[in-house]
Every structure is written in structure tokens, then in C-alpha cells.
Amino acid sequence: MSGEDTDKQAIISVRNVRHSYREGDGIKEVLHGVSLDFYAGEIVIIMGPSGSGKSTLLKLIGAQLTLQEGDVRVGEHELKGANADDLMRIRRDLGFIFQTHHLLDSISVLQNVELPLAFDDTATREVAKERALEALKTVGIDAQAHKKPSHLSGGQRQRVAIARALIRRPKIVLADEPTASLDQKSGREVVEIIRKMAKELGVTVVLVTHDNRILDIADRIVSLVDGRLQEGQM
Ligand code: ADP
Ligand code: MG
């Protein structure tokens, strides 16, 4: 399992991916043959104007959309031909951060962060709680653990969402416009936390954004315009 070839192998590989949506009577192609590799531990920002296909690409990588054409490999899993069970298993190994926090308001911050561990047979409730508290501490929200998400600010809620995304210790985190509903200061705090956690934990981050104030946290930036990658980026 060692050797240069495996060291250099991409953790995510996207090959000739095309994707279209049905639109009225017609079909609209939004990704026109995208190929891209992501390497372990790097933070890659995919930027591009609204409607350029960023979320579609991220959802394909995250096994949230059925792959129509081309190939995507996530870790050792080929998404083409994967059945619903395979896709669910692949999704469980990924961390997701969205534009809006998707926290449940009927339960506490701590319970929200513990929730993904409910699917994990190896984590007892005690362990789940301990790990959730630890994750909240890392994002600086442990003092709010017993509050309801609605009692937190937008930036604090997004930090809770980061803790939740990382609780299952994913190797890959996919973030779709994580700062879009935040003011500049909170947005900055959130991306700094994403960067810090990615680097400390060796997590690969694919972050989609059209917010060019956060580009400096990336190790690499690629642009998607009208469903095509732009060459020669940084
Ligand atoms: P971005 O995230 O870069 O804004 P998206 O991937 O969300 O772009 O969307 C790309 C294009 O595909 C847009 O024109 C959008 O309207 C269209 N689109 C996205 N999702 C759907 C859908 N579920 N059905 C039909 N069209 C869609
Ligand atoms: Mg989008």
C-alpha cells in the first residue's frame, strides 16, 4: 500500500462529468464535461458565478445526485453504478456544510452535534456526548452547548454546523457557500475555523463559493464558468 503512486493518488477524482436537468419539455446541460482531482489534506475552493454548476458538481461528489455521465471516485468508492445502500454509506463518510446551517431547533446545540453519531454503532451515548462537547470546544461554542440553535447568532450556528460535520471524523468535507448567509466578520471566523480544523485533522475540504473575500484560505482555487472549468487558475 505504500509507494509514490499511492501517495500521489487523488482522494477524489472527477472525470468527464456531464449533468443535465429536465427543464419544461427540454433538457438543460449544466456541467459539460468536468474533470478534476482533489488530493488528501488540501483545501480547494471552487468559485464561479451563480448558476455555473458549482452546487451540482458538489452534490455529485457528495453522492446526493445520481451520476449521469462520466466517473466520480470518492476515496475507494466509484459512484457510477453504486446502489442506494452504497451511496448512503459513502455519504455517511463525508462531512457536509451548507449555506444554511440545517440544525434542528427542537433539540439543543449539543444534541444536534451528536446526531450523526446515532448512526454509528461503535459510539455509545457517553462517547457521543464527549465527542460532541470536544467538537464544540474546538469551534469555540461549548458554552452554548445546552441552548437551542435559535438562541445563537448566525455565525455561531454555522460553527455548530461545522462541529456536526466533523463529528464522524470524515476525511472529506464538502461545503456549499458556507459564508453566504453571514456578515463579513462571522464569515471570516467560519472559514478560519474550517481551515484550522482541516489542517489540524488532515481533512480534505472542497468548498464552493462566489465570495471572493475568503479565497485566501484555499490551497488551490479552480473556477467553474457555465459548467466548464477554467484553465490556468492560480
Ligand atoms: P451554482 O451552485 O453554481 O449556482 P447550480 O449547480 O445550483 O449552480 O445550478 C446550475 C444550473 O442548473 C442553474 O441554471 C440552475 O437553475 C440549474 N438547476 C440546478 N438545480 C436544478 C434542478 N433541480 N432542476 C432544474 N434545474 C436545476
Ligand atoms: Mg449553488
Side-chain angles (χ1 to χ4, degrees):
M1 276 308 289
S2 64
E4 282 169 39
D5 287 340
T6 40
D7 287 347
K8 284 200 188 115
Q9 209 197 6
I11 188 166
I12 304 170
S13 159
V14 175
R15 283 291 170 275
N16 308 316
V17 165
R18 293 176 173 270
H19 197 85
S20 21
Y21 293 108
R22 217 173 275 283
E23 197 181 58
D25 289 341
I27 281 183
K28 179 182 171 197
E29 189 174 84
V30 299
L31 295 176
H32 312 290
V34 171
S35 299
L36 187 58
D37 283 331
F38 302 90
Y39 296 92
E42 68 172 349
I43 301 177
V44 180
I45 288 188
I46 301 175
M47 63 175 308
S50 179
S52 56
K54 304 184 299 297
S55 294
T56 301
L57 179 58
L58 205 66
K59 283 179 193 159
L60 287 167
I61 294 171
Q64 294 169 307
L65 265 184
T66 305
L67 188 60
Q68 295 170 346
E69 214 184 311
D71 294 291
V72 175
R73 179 178 54 76
V74 178
E76 65 245 33
H77 306 285
E78 282 295 341
L79 300 196
K80 186 176 267 173
N83 63 30
D85 280 352
D86 297 334
L87 293 176
M88 196 176 65
R89 229 169 286 126
I90 293 163
R91 281 198 295 270
R92 268 191 213 166
D93 285 343
L94 301 170
F96 294 97
I97 303 170
F98 306 96
Q99 174 174 348
T100 48
H101 50 79
H102 291 255
L103 299 173
L104 300 177
D105 208 50
S106 54
I107 57 177
S108 72
V109 160
L110 182 67
Q111 289 167 323
N112 268 281
V113 176
E114 276 177 44
L115 206 53
L117 289 179
F119 302 105
D120 192 332
D121 304 334
T122 62
T124 63
R125 291 197 63 181
E126 246 88 275
V127 169
K129 189 173 174 186
E130 208 170 285
R131 270 171 62 180
L133 268 174
E134 190 185 314
L136 285 169
K137 200 173 276 181
T138 316
V139 297
I141 303 283
D142 49 315
Q144 326 286 332
H146 298 288
K147 291 188 180 166
K148 293 281 166 63
S150 60
H151 296 156
L152 270 54
S153 73
Q156 288 176 322
R157 283 198 288 254
Q158 197 59 310
R159 286 198 252 164
V160 175
I162 295 170
R164 183 190 48 187
L166 289 164
I167 196 72
R168 287 173 56 79
R169 299 178 178 154
K171 283 270 150 250
I172 299 168
V173 169
L174 306 176
D176 195 347
E177 308 265 8
T179 63
S181 17
L182 302 177
D183 60 55
Q184 172 149 15
K185 183 166 169 285
S186 318
R188 192 69 229 172
E189 282 169 10
V190 160
V191 292
E192 296 285 359
I193 287 170
I194 291 175
R195 180 175 170 80
K196 178 171 160 265
M197 297 191 87
K199 293 302 164 188
E200 278 172 10
L201 304 170
V203 173
T204 307
V205 176
V206 182
L207 190 156
V208 156
T209 191
H210 62 261
D211 183 353
N212 52 24
R213 297 173 307 201
I214 63 170
L215 298 181
D216 60 295
I217 69 147
D219 297 313
R220 191 154 62 91
I221 300 167
V222 295
S223 288
L224 192 62
V225 178
D226 290 339
R228 288 191 174 81
L229 283 183
Q230 301 293 294
E231 300 297 328
Q233 290 294 313
M234 281 160 249

